[in-house]
Amino acid sequence: MTIGPIELEIIRHRLEAINADAGETLVRVSGSQIASEASDFNTAIMTADGTVISCSKFILVQSTSLNLIVRDILDRYGENPGIGRGDQFLTNDPYLGTLHQPDVTLVAPIFHGDRLIAWAGSTVHEPDVGGPVSGGFNYAARSIFDEAIPIPPVKIVEAGSVRRDIERDYLARTRTPELNALDLLGQIAANRASERQVLELCAAYGTDGLVHAMDRLLASTEAAFRRRLIELPDGIWRENSFIQHEQRSGADYLPNQVYAVRLAMAKAGDKLSFDFTASDDQAPGAVNSTYPTLANFTMAAVLVHICQGLPWMPGAIWRTIDIHTRKASIVDAEWPAGVAMSTGTSAQAIRNCVSGCLARLLDGSAAHAHMAMASSQSSGAGGMSISGHRRDGTPFTTLFLDELSGGGGATVRADGSDTSGTATSPGATPSNLETNEAYYPVLYLTRRELADSGGPGMRRGGVGAMHAYRPHQTDRSIALLSMAQGLQHPATMGAAGGEPGLPSGFAIMSCDVPVAVSSGWAELADATDFRLPDAATRLYPDQILVTSSQGGGGFGDPLERDPAAVAMDVLDGLVSVGNALRDFGVVLRLDGDQVEIDRDASEAARKARLKVRLGGRDPRTIEGPVSGRRLSSHFRAVAVSGGEQVVCAVCGHGICDAGEDIYASLAVHEAVAGERSAITDRYPGSERFRIRHFYCPGCARQVDVQVALSGDPVLEAIELPFPRNPTETRP
Amino acid sequence: MQIVGIDTGGTFTDTVILTGDGRIGVGKALTTHGRLMEGVIASLAVASRSLGKSLREILEVTDILSHGTTVGLNALLTNAGAKVGLLVTSGFEATLPMARSNKVHGLPDEDSINALKWRKPDLLVPRRRIIGVRERIDVDGNIIVPLDEEQARQSIRQLVARGAEAIGIALMWSPVNGSHERRLAELVAEEAPGLHVTLSSELAPRIGEYERTATVAMNAYVAPLVGDYLTSLDEALRDEGFSGLFLIVTMGGGARRASSLHDAPIHLLQSGPVGGIMAARQIGARLGHADVLATDVGGTSFDVGLVVGGALPTASRPRIDRHSLAVPVIDLASIGTGGGSIAYADPELGVLRVGPQSAGSMPGPACYGRGGTQPTVTDAAVVLGHLDHLGGALILDRDAARSALAPLAGKLGLEIEEAAEGILRVANAQMADLVRRASVQRGHDPRNFVLYAYGGAAPQHVGRYAAEIGVKAIVIPRLAPEFSAWGAASSDMRTSYEIELPARPLQDFRDGEIDAFGRLEQRARGEFEGLAEASLAGAVEIRRKIGLKFSRQLHRIDIEVPSSRLGRAEIAAAEAAFRSRYEQIVGRGSAHAKSTIELAAVVVEARMPIVMPDSAPTGMRGALRPSRQRRAWFGGREQETPVFLWAELGVGVVISGPAFIESDQTTAVIYPGQTVTTDVDGNLTMTVPAVHKRSPSPSIGEFA
């Protein structure tokens, strides 16, 4: 059958429907809490060579590298054990294609007759897959041999029947065999449902027709993405992001280490390349990312941040992207480095770097600047594996995902979404607290939006959340393995001069601290010592655990935020009166239910703030829009005799000659990592970090904010090729 | 006994009158948005005239009037609800605004992959009107923090000062211990007498504080508006002589007395589509179809519901307009594809796409001649000659439809008719995908189902969307365009009360009294008070059920038990029934796990059957003679095609496609190769050529 624009659309729609069915089938059969309540799973359909053509949207990062797993199976198993109809392969090997060991992937080849035409696959986060530590996150791991040992692809279903020997081998490792068995059943059923429906498509359109249609869809999506890239300016953008790791025990004791992920993203014509080679060396254990994890998080950020309006077809996007790494680095670990905690640590830093660079790239295009989005929360402190015993003595282990409540990033048109979770796991949802209390011996004291946590900006980042609970109806302590990152410095960067969101918080307090009625960390800061969570962290029955997730990054200079919007935030309790002034330069009075903005005082406050930014000098008056070639929200290139000059987009101030480092010519203010936080500076290690604010030397507008290690050179976050002809196309 | 069913839909308000002597009157009027009651009365008047009677003459002898309405949904979609004040447990004020971080669930597919479109569900209660009261109850119902009444009173006064017109109360663990909620309600009555109050422990006693709170917020939000509507409509009907029983169709299935919904108006939010599914069940029972895929094509949406074994399954995670609900809702899948959906060439992929943007009813498709210029699904049907009038009065403009399609055809390099054919194929493929999803996702094989097609536009499309799915049979009911109204008229009175409890092993309940049954039964029976005496219907049937699930599992399955006291035998029987139902739903071999079975809910259902009047023979007459011929495109060529009048078809006739069967309100399109036959009630049963051979459907048993 010929495949025209009509058939192609019908097949596209159908593939999406088949994949959605697979996801629902998985949830229905598995019924487990992680899959069904938190949606921590994903499904995908691939072409014969493993190219992902359709993936669901719950946890995007789980599915974009399934091609690596399929490739491995095709390369190694063709002869022995063979790849046949009705087979399914299970793996949780992060060195081959999963994110970390708890993510268990099942892929199934789909044959029409003897011809391999497609693959179906799914991944589910399991509560436990074995190894020395319940839940799988071992802070003290010196290598992967101190974690759950990955299972390379094994043929767990052969010609339609489950291999009992392999199934037993898989379930023998885990502390939660019943739950894993149900998820396994769900994944098998989901793959079978996809297989059956794909074969129906074959019957309707012919095998050649379907294969041809899938190729066409990939080719046209790739072409559309390349057109989008061509519409965007060329250049190099940079972003750094940091993680910490505290390895508390073992021979290789390494206290409170910092690892930097450093990205230089280059866009030229219709190519996008990501160079991570400047990132730090790998850690001994736990927090490293493998190449598949790097690829997954990079791809997921690309899909979310520059594929708006395009199909999410990772296989098509792969073809336009290069990733450069250095083996044995924190983003491309070398066996046998430990990797089980990658998703909450280095992988979040990877995503932050990619989304930061993409925001800078988009902000350089007049036609696409509205798509530029500041960073959303990375892993907050409330994400943890907890284990212990109930009063009746039965043991429990589970994941609490309260951290999925951080703020979203702002864009030029909209504030970030409050308590909306991370951008690359759009479907993930934290459980109801009643669900947690029903199954585990804890009592929550609060789940609240955390005022002042959203990154200030012309548009505000979404606020994060605070959670607190204590042991309940148990006499024993609870072991906590928190994935907390971003305690010592902000981790969710703003865009176009917006501020980063508030760092995470993690603290254990005595149970007489009135946590439930406090308005935030400021009132709790003196109630306890602030210690980084480590392998030995426990919560005793007379204690409260308090955690907070990060706010999202803001967009644009916070002094340009509409005072009325600040007033609304104050009424909603998302910004405090005091911080309306501190963060936005808005003076207002909250009188009962009314907020009154003092316009004159606000204007004076903002003027004074601008003056401080320039070291006491009066800012240049703003002359109205400056014409010239757009480089970003804040910079234009204008022709001058002998070349081009970079000028401020609002005041016209000449910053530097085109081709020079813009950042070398900006006014800079370096602040401590906890400048907006009551607790960040209390964590040991925070003194190593700085927040750098960059201002136009003419009008004092804030044009960028970066987090850096103290003493590091200033990052040239925007490097544009000069001179050149404008290539940007306007619609 | 005379029964009237009225359904207010997005475009039309339909009325069906079933007279005591078996005649059927039908009426249709435009829905009057903002003044829904006018459309209801107008539609009733038209239906009365169709029987040669006045409105008063009909109402005076009507015993039951059953109504499906969008009044609540409209309030929600137009942000016209009340200013709600919400009282929650102190420390958990953010439960509703946080919405469990949901930024994508419930969004249309194309928005779910566009980060710029991600957003929370609309916040029905602003944060200023959510106040925490000091109290806390734990999972076992123990009071950890007693209710601070003084602070509670202050909070209530504060809400009133902030403009609250209705109060919602949703405290932690209220399903287990509702005493604090009840006491708060008393305080509200003292501090703010007259305000509508919703208690989560009474309205939605399910575990999971977000969904319960959202349900309370929505109930309070629509309550004043819905209450006013029900009161005024009731008065208007009584002014016109009605003295019978006034029922409202609920989204949980069945109809309840309007008077009982003032407190719980949430149950009528989606009553229209549910009317259709109930009608499908009713007709299914008559035709011997226990498993039905009920499909409804309207102007802006396509809905699919299921009848399984004669029952209507409820949704496991119901949402309306993205708001999560913790009350039983008949499972319904929906997409924004209908007659008004706009077709366009995707600039990125070069494919032909349809919807979800819709021309709506104003200006409507180009062929309506009301100024629409964008090509819609209905325009495509008009270009192909499949449709030339709508609703008797509206003659469709084929030239306008062609003009609307021409630019799109040019972009795709197709002739106009090819583009029209393409639009219908794409739209119908979307519908077919939804039908598959509605069945496959829920673990059913569509081949075991009979598909029913109703709603104004379904008879026109069903020959395409049902053909490739491979269902057992396709039925277009005689009252397809008024099906939801007929469903309202044919519905039993039904109510159910439930309470969820923290799951505990079922064995723990052996030989003890489950006292929740008594309370729930009392409330359920209360709704039927006074009816038996009025001899309107039969006795009230009570069913007791326990909600069972495997430990740590999602699926709750309600199993009927003989009494509120369970002995060894009853527990064994319930466990066996649960395992067998579980395997039906999840798959053979899946219940082999030695997991503990836990009791998680107690449910009481009460039903009072309403006996419908026997319908008289249809009176269809005449031979098989087309009333006229129309030129229409099928299979790439234009041909003279016979048009039959539905009302003139005899019983048992066979018509082969291509052909059209028309009534005032709808046109059934019979494609080449398809045939229809008529039955004694005037329903059309369509047979389609066998589709491609399918691979056998595996069951879990094969590999478990």
Side-chain angles (χ1 to χ4, degrees):
Chain A
M1 177 181 280
T2 47
I3 303 294
I6 292 151
E7 291 77 15
L8 205 54
E9 166 62 7
I10 292 171
I11 291 172
R12 182 197 67 78
H13 196 269
R14 184 77 190 281
L15 287 171
E16 292 291 315
I18 292 171
N19 195 43
D21 276 357
E24 290 289 332
T25 300
L26 196 161
V27 166
R28 182 168 49 76
V29 176
S30 133
S32 76
Q33 195 191 339
I34 294 185
S36 57
E37 252 223 338
S39 300
D40 197 347
F41 75 97
N42 221 339
T43 55
I45 295 171
M46 295 160 272
T47 60
D49 66 358
T51 306
V52 178
I53 191 163
S54 173
C55 60
S56 46
K57 288 90 201 177
F58 303 107
I59 308 284
L60 258 185
V61 288
Q62 282 172 343
S63 60
T64 57
S65 77
L66 285 174
N67 59 323
L68 300 174
I69 293 172
V70 168
R71 194 69 260 161
D72 180 83
I73 292 169
L74 288 170
D75 286 348
R76 292 170 176 244
Y77 290 174
E79 293 289 314
N80 178 359
I83 304 165
R85 187 204 299 252
D87 290 349
Q88 301 202 23
F89 297 86
L90 175 147
T91 180
N92 69 339
D93 189 344
Y95 281 89
L96 280 183
T98 68
L99 299 172
H100 55 167
Q101 295 94 318
D103 281 347
V104 175
T105 294
L106 241 75
V107 293
I110 301 176
F111 286 90
H112 190 242
D114 290 333
R115 180 173 172 192
L116 175 65
I117 52 163
W119 291 77
S122 66
T123 302
V124 179
H125 186 131
E126 296 301 331
D128 190 275
V129 288
V133 174
S134 183
F137 304 138
N138 184 5
Y139 271 74
R142 293 154 303 177
S143 74
I144 203 158
F145 296 109
D146 293 333
E147 300 179 344
I149 302 300
I151 307 168
V154 291
K155 195 192 279 191
I156 196 162
V157 181
E158 188 163 37
S161 1
V162 173
R163 289 270 311 262
R164 295 298 174 203
D165 51 349
I166 306 281
E167 184 193 30
R168 280 176 71 187
D169 181 38
Y170 166 56
L171 297 176
R173 303 152 186 262
T174 158
R175 295 172 180 80
T176 52
E178 274 186 11
L179 296 178
N180 294 35
L182 282 164
D183 283 338
L184 179 64
L185 210 57
Q187 286 182 273
I188 293 172
N191 283 347
R192 292 303 293 261
S194 293
E195 178 192 20
R196 181 160 56 90
Q197 294 206 64
V198 167
L199 290 176
E200 285 175 23
L201 268 177
C202 277
Y205 295 94
T207 307
D208 287 335
L210 176 62
V211 169
H212 173 63
M214 292 198 291
D215 288 345
R216 286 258 311 266
L217 286 170
L218 285 166
S220 45
T221 303
E222 178 189 342
F225 185 66
R226 288 189 189 278
R227 280 197 299 279
R228 174 153 298 174
L229 287 179
I230 287 171
E231 289 166 4
L232 294 166
D234 289 350
I236 296 172
W237 294 267
R238 295 190 181 82
E239 190 79 49
N240 296 340
S241 190
F242 307 93
I243 59 164
Q244 291 78 47
H245 186 48
E246 175 119 312
Q247 202 168 17
R248 273 286 185 186
S249 59
D252 309 317
Y253 173 61
L254 290 170
N256 201 351
Q257 291 288 298
V258 173
Y259 297 91
V261 174
R262 301 180 203 275
L263 168 62
M265 182 188 84
K267 190 251 129 178
D270 65 354
K271 282 243 157 215
L272 197 55
S273 72
F274 296 88
D275 184 342
F276 288 97
T277 51
S279 301
D280 284 351
D281 288 348
Q282 69 188 22
V287 296
N288 302 295
S289 284
T290 55
Y291 181 81
T293 304
L294 170 69
N296 266 315
F297 274 79
T298 302
M299 180 63 58
V302 166
L303 287 175
V304 168
H305 290 290
I306 49 173
C307 291
Q308 291 97 330
L310 299 179
W312 279 5
M313 222 174 273
I317 311 297
W318 263 110
R319 300 169 177 177
T320 67
I321 283 177
D322 287 321
I323 298 178
H324 305 284
T325 65
R326 195 166 54 78
K327 211 60 194 157
S329 66
I330 186 83
V331 299
D332 187 4
E334 193 165 49
W335 180 272
V339 297
M341 292 172 70
S342 66
T343 54
T345 57
S346 51
Q348 296 296 330
I350 291 165
R351 181 182 62 77
N352 283 330
C353 285
V354 175
S355 76
C357 285
L358 292 173
R360 295 183 197 281
L361 163 67
L362 292 163
D363 190 45
S365 156
H368 295 96
H370 68 284
M371 288 160 47
M373 184 180 275
S375 181
S376 63
Q377 73 155 122
S378 57
S379 69
M384 62 184 72
S385 166
I386 80 165
S387 53
H389 293 82
R390 300 181 183 86
R391 177 164 285 171
D392 65 8
T394 53
F396 67 88
T397 183
T398 193
L399 268 182
F400 272 10
L401 293 170
D402 295 339
E403 65 151 343
L404 298 173
S405 57
T411 65
V412 69
R413 291 182 188 164
D415 289 346
S417 185
D418 297 314
T419 59
S420 60
T422 183
T424 45
S425 299
T429 42
S431 297
N432 277 307
L433 300 181
E434 286 180 347
T435 306
N436 287 354
E437 292 184 0
Y439 288 106
Y440 307 104
V442 296
L443 184 82
Y444 277 83
L445 305 173
T446 190
R447 163 178 272 179
R448 62 168 6 124
E449 295 171 303
L450 187 58
D452 301 316
S453 60
M458 186 267 291
R459 304 285 183 196
R460 174 177 61 72
V463 300
M466 174 178 273
H467 289 82
Y469 64 78
R470 62 176 164 87
H472 184 58
Q473 298 190 335
T474 179
D475 308 326
R476 298 165 72 169
S477 64
I478 294 173
L480 309 173
L481 282 165
S482 169
M483 308 253 275
Q485 286 292 324
L487 293 168
Q488 302 171 8
H489 57 84
T492 55
M493 299 313 298
E499 297 277 344
L502 200 70
S504 318
F506 179 98
I508 291 176
M509 314 192 164
S510 153
C511 66
D512 51 17
V513 177
V515 170
V517 295
S518 74
S519 64
W521 285 111
E523 292 172 33
L524 301 173
D526 296 328
T528 188
D529 290 340
F530 284 81
R531 296 177 51 180
L532 297 174
D534 60 33
T537 304
R538 301 193 79 84
L539 184 68
Y540 290 89
D542 59 347
Q543 291 181 321
I544 304 173
L545 173 70
V546 187
T547 63
S548 66
S549 50
Q550 296 143 348
F555 190 101
D557 189 340
L559 296 184
E560 294 172 19
R561 183 166 178 77
D562 180 359
V566 176
M568 275 304 294
D569 285 344
V570 168
L571 268 184
D572 283 340
L574 303 176
V575 169
S576 63
V577 172
N579 290 343
L581 174 60
R582 184 194 72 184
D583 293 342
F584 300 97
V586 174
V587 180
L588 37 74
R589 203 169 47 241
L590 186 61
D591 183 11
D593 292 337
Q594 302 296 317
V595 173
E596 205 180 304
I597 303 168
D598 187 332
R599 302 240 166 222
D600 294 340
S602 300
E603 204 173 311
R606 287 180 163 186
K607 271 199 178 135
R609 198 71 61 85
L610 291 174
K611 209 167 157 174
V612 169
R613 287 177 175 180
L614 297 182
R617 185 160 49 85
D618 275 326
R620 201 176 152 136
T621 49
I622 289 170
E623 292 161 350
V626 172
S627 59
R629 182 162 59 89
R630 182 187 178 101
L631 304 177
S632 77
S633 290
H634 305 302
F635 304 122
R636 299 286 179 272
V638 294
V640 291
S641 59
E644 275 189 318
Q645 192 187 25
V646 177
V647 302
C648 172
V650 289
C651 74
H653 177 81
I655 291 171
C656 62
D657 286 341
E660 291 178 359
D661 180 357
I662 296 171
Y663 284 80
S665 304
L666 298 173
V668 191
H669 168 68
E670 197 168 89
V672 296
E675 67 166 340
R676 294 180 49 250
S677 158
I679 56 167
T680 302
D681 293 338
R682 302 273 298 274
Y683 290 106
S686 60
E687 68 284 352
R688 297 172 292 192
F689 295 94
R690 294 290 180 273
I691 301 177
R692 291 174 178 157
H693 305 258
F694 297 90
Y695 312 114
C696 166
C699 61
R701 188 186 216 197
Q702 183 161 297
V703 295
D704 203 359
V705 182
Q706 298 177 3
V707 170
L709 279 167
S710 167
D712 264 8
V714 166
L715 183 71
E716 188 182 1
I718 304 176
E719 181 186 334
L720 300 157
F722 286 102
R724 53 161 196 161
N725 294 323
T727 55
E728 186 183 333
T729 52
R730 292 191 167 79
Chain B
M1 179 148 78
Q2 177 162 309
I3 304 179
V4 171
I6 305 172
D7 178 67
T8 299
T11 312
F12 293 109
T13 301
D14 294 311
T15 298
V16 171
I17 301 171
L18 309 174
T19 66
D21 56 1
R23 285 177 304 147
I24 298 179
V26 172
K28 193 180 274 293
L30 278 173
T31 293
T32 44
H33 291 286
R35 297 161 286 119
L36 292 176
M37 206 170 81
E38 290 174 23
V40 168
I41 300 292
S43 163
L44 248 173
V46 175
S48 305
R49 275 202 298 280
S50 78
L51 293 169
K53 306 265 189 185
S54 73
L55 176 60
R56 177 167 288 273
E57 284 169 322
I58 287 293
L59 281 178
E60 277 176 344
V61 296
T62 294
D63 300 283
I64 295 174
L65 187 146
S66 185
H67 180 27
T69 176
T70 53
V71 63
L73 195 59
N74 287 355
L76 190 66
L77 298 181
T78 58
N79 304 318
K83 290 183 176 167
V84 176
L86 207 54
L87 295 170
V88 301
T89 302
S90 171
F92 304 90
E93 294 84 351
T95 300
L96 188 67
M98 285 176 70
R100 291 181 65 204
S101 302
N102 173 20
K103 58 182 181 269
V104 294
H105 297 288
L107 282 179
D109 285 348
E110 59 284 355
D111 287 355
S112 72
I113 59 167
N114 185 342
L116 300 174
K117 302 279 180 73
W118 292 349
R119 59 181 196 282
K120 295 279 182 74
D122 296 337
L123 187 55
L124 294 182
V125 187
R127 292 173 175 84
R128 296 187 285 294
R129 287 202 303 270
I130 303 174
I131 298 187
V133 294
R134 280 201 284 278
E135 68 86 36
R136 182 71 153 96
I137 286 168
D138 77 358
V139 55
D140 296 324
N142 302 316
I143 293 176
I144 305 292
V145 178
L147 178 65
D148 181 339
E149 297 204 1
E150 202 34 58
Q151 186 252 348
R153 284 181 194 277
Q154 273 173 23
S155 304
I156 295 162
R157 289 196 289 267
Q158 214 164 1
L159 288 177
V160 172
R162 291 176 184 179
E165 300 162 343
I167 300 287
I169 302 173
L171 306 180
M172 291 290 281
W173 288 115
S174 68
V176 178
N177 179 347
S179 63
H180 285 179
E181 285 199 353
R182 287 192 296 275
R183 179 61 188 147
L184 271 180
E186 289 170 8
L187 298 181
V188 173
E190 290 173 23
E191 296 291 335
L195 283 197
H196 189 279
V197 180
T198 304
L199 299 190
S200 85
S201 50
E202 285 179 5
L203 180 74
R206 287 191 177 178
I207 292 171
E209 73 276 6
Y210 166 63
E211 290 78 7
R212 199 169 69 242
T213 308
T215 306
V216 163
M218 194 186 294
N219 192 68
Y221 186 75
V222 300
L225 214 87
V226 170
D228 287 352
Y229 173 78
L230 294 179
T231 304
S232 343
L233 181 56
D234 190 42
E235 280 169 10
L237 293 170
R238 294 195 194 281
D239 284 351
E240 291 290 342
F242 177 60
S243 60
L245 187 60
F246 180 26
L247 302 181
I248 298 288
V249 177
T250 69
M251 64 184 177
R256 287 171 63 173
R257 289 163 98 168
S259 54
S260 77
L261 288 170
H262 285 266
D263 284 341
I266 194 157
H267 294 299
L268 59 69
L269 272 182
Q270 212 174 39
S271 69
V274 169
I277 300 174
M278 291 192 304
R281 172 173 60 182
Q282 197 79 17
I283 303 246
R286 186 170 163 86
L287 301 182
H289 303 148
D291 299 308
V292 175
L293 281 162
T295 64
D296 181 349
V297 185
T300 55
S301 72
F302 177 66
D303 301 324
V304 183
L306 291 167
V307 181
V308 180
L312 307 181
T314 51
S316 59
R317 283 171 291 184
R319 286 193 185 94
I320 289 188
D321 191 31
R322 302 193 63 216
H323 300 280
S324 291
L325 298 179
V327 291
V329 178
I330 297 299
D331 199 0
L332 195 69
S334 194
I335 48 169
T337 305
S341 296
I342 293 170
Y344 65 102
D346 183 308
E348 302 292 359
L349 296 187
V351 300
L352 171 64
R353 299 185 70 162
V354 177
Q357 283 75 32
S358 171
S361 53
M362 258 332 270
C367 59
Y368 283 19
R370 294 179 189 153
T373 55
Q374 308 223 59
T376 65
V377 170
T378 300
D379 291 315
V382 169
V383 163
L384 295 178
H386 292 183
L387 202 62
D388 66 352
H389 73 281
L390 205 68
L394 185 59
I395 304 299
L396 301 172
D397 183 342
R398 194 163 175 174
D399 290 339
R402 286 183 63 88
S403 307
L405 255 67
L408 173 65
K411 264 187 221 165
L412 295 169
L414 301 172
E415 296 296 320
I416 290 181
E417 288 76 15
E418 288 174 333
E421 172 70 16
I423 291 170
L424 291 186
R425 282 184 63 195
V426 169
N428 285 293
Q430 289 176 5
M431 297 180 191
D433 283 351
L434 187 72
V435 176
R436 282 197 201 88
R437 287 173 73 165
S439 46
V440 173
Q441 283 189 350
R442 289 153 178 83
H444 302 293
D445 186 334
R447 287 174 298 181
N448 301 329
F449 284 72
V450 177
L451 185 140
Y452 283 34
Y454 55 86
Q460 178 201 325
H461 292 286
V462 65
R464 283 176 184 272
Y465 68 74
E468 59 168 290
I469 296 169
V471 291
K472 247 190 199 166
I474 299 165
V475 173
I476 308 175
R478 176 71 182 96
L479 291 174
E482 302 87 16
F483 209 51
S484 289
W486 191 82
S490 65
S491 162
D492 288 338
M493 272 188 79
R494 250 171 220 274
T495 190
S496 82
Y497 284 92
E498 63 166 16
I499 185 163
E500 278 190 1
L501 307 165
R504 272 173 50 202
L506 177 59
Q507 293 293 346
D508 290 2
F509 291 85
R510 210 171 88 192
D511 296 331
E513 179 78 16
I514 301 175
D515 36 335
F517 274 124
R519 292 200 309 276
L520 298 179
E521 185 176 332
Q522 196 183 358
R523 291 181 68 189
R525 283 192 187 277
E527 286 202 25
F528 297 87
E529 234 162 59
L531 292 185
E533 297 81 69
S535 70
L536 275 170
V540 179
E541 300 168 6
I542 295 282
R543 286 181 177 193
R544 294 174 196 82
K545 293 181 173 180
I546 48 178
L548 299 182
K549 58 184 198 172
F550 283 125
S551 181
R552 305 293 291 119
Q553 279 275 291
L554 172 75
H555 315 289
R556 176 187 126 191
I557 299 171
D558 296 345
I559 301 292
E560 188 169 355
V561 290
S563 75
S564 57
R565 202 178 175 83
L566 304 178
R568 180 193 293 272
E570 286 80 20
I571 284 184
E575 288 197 346
F578 169 75
R579 284 183 195 277
S580 132
R581 280 289 295 139
Y582 186 91
E583 294 210 343
Q584 270 175 27
I585 293 169
V586 172
R588 208 149 35 85
S590 57
H592 71 297
K594 290 197 178 80
S595 283
T596 314
I597 295 175
E598 298 177 333
L599 186 148
V602 176
V603 184
V604 169
E605 292 177 356
R607 167 175 174 267
M608 180 184 274
I610 290 172
V611 182
M612 287 173 69
D614 281 332
S615 57
T618 52
M620 293 212 299
R621 57 177 197 279
L624 182 59
R625 191 183 314 120
S627 75
R628 59 193 166 101
Q629 300 278 327
R630 184 156 89 218
R631 293 189 69 77
W633 290 76
F634 287 98
R637 68 192 185 87
E638 194 176 24
Q639 51 193 305
E640 286 295 328
T641 308
V643 180
F644 298 90
L645 293 182
W646 202 332
E648 292 182 356
L649 297 178
V651 174
V653 301
V654 178
I655 297 173
S656 301
F660 300 113
I661 299 173
E662 289 187 349
S663 71
D664 274 354
Q665 306 302 345
T666 194
T667 300
V669 180
I670 319 302
Y671 285 87
Q674 303 178 341
T675 55
V676 292
T677 59
T678 54
D679 68 16
V680 64
D681 295 328
N683 306 311
L684 306 178
T685 298
M686 180 183 279
T687 48
V688 299
V691 286
H692 49 80
K693 196 174 150 287
R694 286 156 167 272
S695 55
S697 165
S699 80
I700 284 184
E702 290 168 35
F703 38 75

